[in-house]
Amino acid sequence: MLPIVEKDPWLRPVEHKMAERHNAYLAVKKSIEKDFGTLAQYADWHKYLGFNYDAQQKGWYFREWLPRAEYVYLMGDFNDWELCRNPLQKIENGIWEIFLPDDLWSEKLRHNSRIKLYIKGKNGWQQRIPAYIRYAKQDEVTKDFCGIFYNPPTSFDWEEEHFDIKALNNLLIYECHVGMAQEKEGIGTYAEFTRNILPRIKSEGYNTLQIMAIAEHPYYGSFGYHVSNFFAPSSRFGTPDELKNLIKEAHRLGLAVVMDLVHSHFVENTLEGLNMLDGEEGLYCYAGEKGNHPHWKSKIFDYSKPEVQRFLLSNIRYWMEEFHFDGFRFDGVTSMLYSHHGYIDEFGSYDCYFGDAVQQEAISYLTLANDLIHSLKPDAVTIAEEVSGMPGVAIPVQDGGIGFDYRMAMAIPDFWIKLLKDQTDEQWNLEEMWHTMTDRLWNVKTIAYCESHDQALVGDKTIAFRLMDKAMYNKMRVDQHDLIVERGIALHKLIRFFTISLGGQAYLNFMGNEFGHPEWIDFPRQGNGWSYAHARRQWNLADDENLRYKFMYHFDNAMLEFIKSYQILASDFAIKLHIDEENKTICFERAGLIFVFNWHPTKAIPNYRFYVRQPGKYKLIFHTDAQLFGGYNRLSTHVEYFTSENKNQTDFLQIYNVNRSAMVFMKAD
């Protein structure tokens, strides 16, 4: 019996299904090891395809997998863009090859030379970008993307750099986008992010960057989720070496760097991307309608093809070894796992997880990917954006799981948005709130978050915007008093603190949300006059002593310091002590500390008593009502609190239970 089934009684009735799933992965891996020796050697196609230098023959080989192409030529600056001067020869397994010796081409094939393929296929002659190109750039005038021969005169110096993300213990993730991280109305660069944003993230207390939109994408407004060139860091933000320097500096500051990896689909464009690269449908994607994502207007990888597996696994190895990423957040895992891509009303039955809609080839690929990542770098971290609750997603491969280290708690942000949209404060159900925060398996590590970039986009609203709306534009001065703003700041703090305290073993925040950034994200498009006004972050709001944004900012910094100091995320599940619906108060214990959340709009209750498991003296060590956080300073950390017994000899703690605030108590003796 697989360990995952032994530990989870719910899986006993489908033990054979779990075994079949795992055995399918093992069969693929066994076949790979038979032919290639190891999974890592299988994932080295980027060292063979694309441009690779041969020191013995002194020249550059260029190779491309184009099994159904009729003619293939390499062209670019190096041959004055002559279409048919440099033909490739078809060698084996659908691979085409050309050798460019130094003695003929060293003066022509230079660093930053522009490159394209000229391919004759079933759809006629097409100019295309190589699949394994390591840099692609858009012409400022024609807007045409072109491959770039990236070969700087000196290789990047990592200085024996090594970073151990597992040593961080509490994973506090800062989800960020390089291009929109600056205040200017324009696209930020890797260099600007390194100089201006990394020190800020470090000072705020986050310890892990999750960087979006790294792989090249033709449409900026896709947020990086319609990838065209999987081996090319986005040129909008700078060069590959400038990205490497960003990661190197992050590591120097003690920050891990996780890449938002999009292996769930690719852009349907034929001029920039992989679609119909050899002239026909079904090269990297499934043929026919199965290859079209019905909701995302993109193409779906055919994970059953060895060449597609090698492409994607090599892509992972490339980012890890060439750029020293510490792990990956896999986007769209639910979409990969099912033929319906997760677009059904609900999950939870055996048929959902083991029925005909499940894509075994995708499960095998994801398991191979996790296997590879952890074999290359045991301390790497992998995160699944997975909403269905598929059994085994975040269980180790050797135990019969798919192998991710963490899964995203995607139900939590959905819950907060629904609550804020549909109910008043007085209607909030504390049992439902508790259940939503704690509804996870004990052996599945979960990343809690109350909002991410998804909630910040046009068409949705951040929590701060839902709470305060237009008041954020004219009622945020510290010398102003506004009930909407005061309620909003109080609940903004409570929601974030409740989520991080209860929701998982790690925590995520999207940049700017920590101080309640007032504007949605709207990338330049025709509808907004191609404006960058909403595709940036206004850090000055948090830094301005005259504005109330500073209160949320100060609180977020203090909250993270508290969470790290007491190892909250590394502790066991919280223990529910008391739920009082009438007074909207919930009390629980985690990491040996007592948390009290009073969500009531008006009821501040003196001498409030609730059950605790240990008798003795307690002290208040953290609360949200501090003046530094925009609170009313109604509590003192100098007061001592003593338990008392009731007639049943149960121990109770008596406190001043302040409304719209959270308090944390620690046993003092």
Side-chain angles (χ1 to χ4, degrees):
M1 183 183 291
L2 291 170
I4 184 176
V5 178
E6 285 184 36
K7 296 173 183 176
D8 187 350
W10 190 83
L11 293 174
R12 297 283 174 87
V14 287
E15 177 186 349
H16 63 293
K17 292 284 188 180
M18 291 296 294
E20 285 175 7
R21 190 177 88 176
H22 190 65
N23 288 336
Y25 144 74
L26 290 175
V28 176
K29 185 179 180 183
K30 183 178 179 181
S31 175
I32 289 169
E33 291 175 337
K34 179 174 179 254
D35 294 336
F36 297 90
T38 67
L39 189 55
Q41 288 171 304
Y42 183 64
D44 70 351
W45 235 13
H46 60 296
K47 298 182 179 182
Y48 180 70
L49 296 177
F51 281 103
N52 286 287
Y53 190 74
D54 190 312
Q56 282 191 322
Q57 298 193 50
K58 298 190 182 306
W60 289 89
Y61 273 103
F62 176 83
R63 302 182 183 94
E64 190 80 20
W65 177 58
L66 300 163
R68 297 168 298 187
E70 298 172 24
Y71 300 97
V72 183
Y73 296 89
L74 186 67
M75 62 179 188
D77 294 339
F78 76 100
N79 72 355
D80 299 320
W81 292 98
E82 290 191 29
L83 296 177
C84 301
R85 183 177 174 185
N86 296 95
L88 279 69
Q89 304 300 316
K90 197 171 188 178
I91 50 175
E92 81 278 324
N93 300 322
I95 294 173
W96 296 72
E97 174 187 273
I98 187 173
F99 180 67
L100 302 171
D102 287 346
D103 56 1
L104 292 178
W105 296 104
S106 62
E107 293 301 313
K108 294 279 192 179
L109 189 62
R110 298 175 183 169
H111 174 51
N112 281 331
S113 294
R114 293 177 297 162
I115 295 290
K116 276 196 175 184
L117 291 171
Y118 191 47
I119 302 170
K120 171 66 163 62
K122 197 171 183 179
N123 62 345
W125 288 98
Q126 300 284 334
Q127 294 185 22
R128 303 297 301 269
I129 299 175
Y132 286 80
I133 201 72
R134 299 189 181 190
Y135 195 35
K137 211 167 184 179
Q138 188 174 31
D139 187 281
E140 292 183 5
V141 177
T142 67
K143 303 303 179 184
D144 181 35
F145 271 89
C146 195
I148 301 294
F149 177 71
Y150 192 77
N151 183 39
T154 56
S155 59
F156 189 84
D157 184 9
W158 286 101
E159 298 174 350
E160 300 299 319
E161 191 251 25
H162 176 73
F163 186 86
D164 182 2
I165 190 172
K166 290 285 175 64
L168 297 177
N169 292 323
N170 296 276
L171 211 60
L172 300 166
I173 303 170
Y174 202 77
E175 185 185 39
C176 50
H177 183 287
V178 170
M180 58 169 289
Q182 305 302 315
E183 289 218 37
K184 66 182 182 183
E185 292 192 24
I187 299 175
T189 66
Y190 298 125
E192 288 173 324
F193 192 95
T194 304
R195 183 171 61 251
N196 302 327
I197 309 304
L198 285 182
R200 180 180 286 273
I201 296 170
K202 173 67 176 178
S203 69
E204 287 187 24
Y206 293 90
N207 57 28
T208 303
L209 279 69
Q210 181 178 296
I211 310 185
M212 308 173 64
I214 290 295
E216 191 60 82
H217 45 289
Y219 178 48
Y220 189 43
S222 76
F223 234 131
Y225 290 122
H226 278 191
V227 175
S228 54
N229 313 109
F230 282 78
F231 288 82
S234 178
S235 60
R236 287 185 180 87
F237 315 137
T239 68
D241 277 8
E242 287 170 333
L243 173 58
K244 291 177 185 178
N245 190 61
L246 186 162
I247 295 169
K248 181 179 177 180
E249 176 62 13
H251 286 167
R252 189 190 70 78
L253 291 171
L255 300 169
V257 187
V258 170
M259 178 180 174
D260 201 346
L261 189 72
V262 185
H263 281 186
S264 48
H265 61 139
F266 60 92
V267 72
E268 65 180 4
N269 304 28
T270 54
L271 293 179
E272 299 93 354
L274 301 172
N275 192 17
M276 298 180 69
L277 191 59
D278 67 349
E280 295 187 44
E281 274 195 345
L283 182 63
Y284 284 91
C285 64
Y286 295 105
E289 195 55 37
K290 187 178 179 181
N292 298 321
H293 200 294
H295 306 282
W296 296 349
K297 199 172 173 56
S298 56
K299 307 299 288 187
I300 302 169
F301 283 108
D302 182 351
Y303 305 102
S304 67
K305 275 189 180 179
E307 295 87 355
V308 174
Q309 288 176 6
R310 292 194 76 183
F311 174 81
L312 294 172
L313 292 171
S314 298
N315 188 236
I316 287 170
R317 183 174 177 183
Y318 168 74
W319 289 116
M320 291 183 72
E321 295 182 344
E322 189 72 19
F323 290 86
H324 290 208
F325 278 102
D326 300 296
F328 302 94
R329 179 263 200 185
F330 279 68
D331 173 70
V333 170
T334 305
S335 177
M336 298 169 73
L337 294 176
Y338 306 97
S339 59
H340 51 62
H341 307 296
Y343 286 83
I344 62 173
D345 291 337
E346 61 180 357
F347 290 92
S349 69
Y350 292 123
D351 189 57
C352 287
Y353 303 130
F354 303 100
D356 294 338
V358 175
Q359 305 273 64
Q360 177 57 51
E361 60 269 31
I363 292 177
S364 293
Y365 164 68
L366 289 169
T367 312
L368 288 170
N370 278 291
D371 193 341
L372 172 69
I373 291 165
H374 293 110
S375 67
L376 292 174
K377 189 175 182 180
D379 63 349
V381 165
T382 59
I383 302 165
E385 188 206 31
E386 208 290 293
V387 72
S388 76
M390 168 66 80
V393 164
I395 298 294
V397 174
Q398 62 269 24
D399 290 348
I402 296 174
F404 286 97
D405 295 298
Y406 293 88
R407 63 176 291 276
M408 305 286 289
M410 297 180 71
I412 292 178
D414 290 345
F415 170 76
W416 286 124
I417 296 304
K418 188 175 188 303
L419 207 64
L420 291 169
K421 280 173 60 177
D422 298 345
Q423 297 179 17
T424 64
D425 307 12
E426 293 86 352
Q427 294 173 318
W428 292 3
N429 184 288
L430 299 188
E431 287 286 359
E432 185 183 18
M433 291 166 69
W434 170 268
H435 175 76
T436 302
M437 295 301 124
T438 58
D439 185 23
R440 61 187 186 276
L441 295 173
W442 64 271
N443 59 342
V444 174
K445 289 197 290 186
T446 302
I447 295 175
Y449 63 110
C450 47
E451 53 186 342
S452 68
H453 72 274
D454 287 325
Q455 287 73 44
L457 291 165
V458 166
D460 207 335
K461 287 183 178 181
T462 63
I463 287 173
F465 218 0
R466 287 192 183 280
L467 288 168
M468 293 175 275
D469 205 66
K470 63 183 180 181
M472 301 189 78
Y473 293 107
N474 55 18
K475 297 292 179 65
M476 293 297 285
R477 290 187 60 83
V478 295
D479 57 1
Q480 294 174 298
H481 292 285
D482 184 85
L483 291 177
I484 291 174
V485 169
E486 289 168 12
R487 168 186 179 266
I489 291 175
L491 290 179
H492 193 267
K493 293 181 292 184
L494 285 182
I495 287 169
R496 296 173 77 81
F497 193 41
F498 197 65
T499 301
I500 198 172
S501 300
L502 281 174
Q505 293 80 20
Y507 178 73
L508 176 140
N509 165 67
F510 178 68
M511 63 178 188
N513 286 355
E514 67 272 23
F515 64 87
H517 199 285
E519 294 183 338
W520 56 85
I521 299 164
D522 190 9
F523 284 99
R525 55 186 173 84
Q526 189 173 6
N528 65 15
W530 303 104
S531 170
Y532 287 89
H534 295 286
R536 61 193 180 109
R537 297 285 89 178
Q538 297 184 59
W539 305 109
N540 66 91
L541 298 174
D543 298 336
D544 193 330
E545 286 298 315
N546 296 310
L547 296 178
R548 290 175 177 260
Y549 294 100
K550 70 176 182 178
F551 295 140
M552 292 176 281
Y553 189 57
H554 291 325
F555 171 74
D556 201 74
N557 295 353
M559 177 184 78
L560 297 185
E561 183 58 35
F562 169 79
I563 291 295
K564 286 187 286 188
S565 296
Y566 292 93
Q567 294 291 299
I568 304 299
L569 297 176
S571 66
D572 291 336
F573 272 51
I575 299 167
K576 181 168 60 175
L577 300 175
H578 177 66
I579 286 186
D580 178 355
E581 290 288 356
E582 181 182 351
N583 295 304
K584 295 301 175 192
T585 296
I586 183 167
C587 310
F588 60 86
E589 179 183 329
R590 191 174 184 190
L593 306 176
I594 307 299
F595 293 75
V596 179
F597 282 80
N598 181 339
W599 298 89
H600 202 283
T602 59
K603 283 188 179 180
I605 309 168
N607 303 318
Y608 188 83
R609 297 173 76 241
F610 62 94
Y611 162 75
V612 293
R613 298 195 305 150
Q614 295 185 61
K617 180 172 70 174
Y618 286 80
K619 62 178 181 178
L620 180 67
I621 59 172
F622 186 79
H623 65 92
T624 64
D625 197 48
Q627 196 168 6
L628 180 66
F629 310 148
Y632 298 100
N633 230 24
R634 293 168 289 178
L635 296 164
S636 171
T637 55
H638 301 296
V639 175
E640 294 180 335
Y641 301 85
F642 295 88
T643 58
S644 58
E645 290 185 356
N646 68 359
K647 60 183 180 182
N648 298 320
Q649 297 185 326
T650 303
D651 295 295
F652 282 80
L653 192 63
Q654 187 168 289
I655 65 168
Y656 179 27
N657 186 14
V658 175
N659 63 303
R660 279 189 183 146
S661 69
M663 297 151 275
V664 185
F665 298 88
M666 182 174 72
K667 198 166 184 297
D669 56 355

